Amino acid sequence: MGHAKKRTATDELRHKVLDEVRFLKNWIDKPLMTGAVAPSSPQLARLMAAQVDPATPGHVVELGPGTGVVTHALLDRGLDPDRIVSIEYNPDFCKLLRQRFPRVHFVHGDAYRMRHAVAPVVGKAERPLAAVVSSLPLFTRPLPERLRLLEECFDMMVPG
């Protein structure tokens, strides 16, 4: 798709192992920030991306991209990288993501303040979001915060 440099099978394996080590290290250092001990599997990422219709106009917001497994699946699904706005709380992951996917908009911020985090990219939402895809560790936050995030997502998305 042209969104990432072509890699060999050896490069893919090295990439996967390094991402798993990054996740585990971040989880050990800050378990409530990372929330997972490993990245999502490529199969799960493809299932998540399959729920996004590339023909629906508007930005697609990705919450908690981690090391970019779902980002990669969204791009493989046919989404233009300029339409993807990903909010990542971990500054190390954010730096890595910007290197891997230079045309995707990565925002270092709090996904639980989604409207504020995406505002510099999507503006005052002249057009609703096409979709929101989440890899957040939802159960690390209190129920009222989770519900507020869901309401914010639905308020900003295309009706229906």
Side-chain angles (χ1 to χ4, degrees):
M1 291 294 318
H3 54 267
K5 186 173 79 171
K6 187 74 173 166
R7 296 186 300 233
T8 66
T10 304
D11 291 337
E12 288 289 336
L13 181 59
R14 181 178 23 243
H15 183 80
K16 183 179 184 329
V17 169
L18 287 174
D19 281 355
E20 288 178 6
V21 169
R22 279 185 187 98
F23 253 87
L24 184 57
K25 181 189 179 315
N26 276 279
W27 181 78
I28 289 168
D29 291 347
K30 302 171 196 148
L32 294 180
M33 180 194 294
T34 304
V37 296
S40 299
S41 72
Q43 295 82 3
L44 174 60
R46 281 192 297 274
L47 285 170
M48 292 170 69
Q51 304 309 306
V52 178
D53 181 359
T56 302
H59 285 92
V60 172
V61 173
E62 181 185 12
L63 305 176
T67 57
V69 178
V70 176
T71 310
H72 193 274
L74 289 168
L75 294 167
D76 282 351
R77 176 92 170 114
L79 275 151
D80 184 323
D82 294 322
R83 291 182 55 203
I84 302 172
V85 183
S86 294
I87 306 168
E88 176 54 54
Y89 193 74
N90 183 311
D92 296 329
F93 286 172
C94 220
K95 180 179 177 184
L96 174 73
L97 291 162
R98 287 179 179 137
Q99 291 169 352
R100 286 188 178 166
F101 308 100
R103 289 187 49 215
V104 172
H105 303 279
F106 290 102
V107 177
H108 175 230
D110 185 355
Y112 285 88
R113 298 188 65 224
M114 186 183 78
R115 187 181 305 274
H116 174 76
V118 301
V121 180
V122 302
K124 300 223 185 258
E126 298 89 30
R127 168 182 285 165
L129 300 176
V132 177
V133 179
S134 177
S135 296
L136 293 178
L138 292 173
F139 293 108
T140 62
R141 298 300 266 272
L143 181 60
E145 285 184 46
R146 296 187 313 235
L147 292 174
R148 188 173 57 246
L149 173 63
L150 289 172
E151 287 174 11
E152 192 169 71
C153 291
F154 288 123
D155 285 348
M156 294 180 71
M157 287 179 15
V158 173

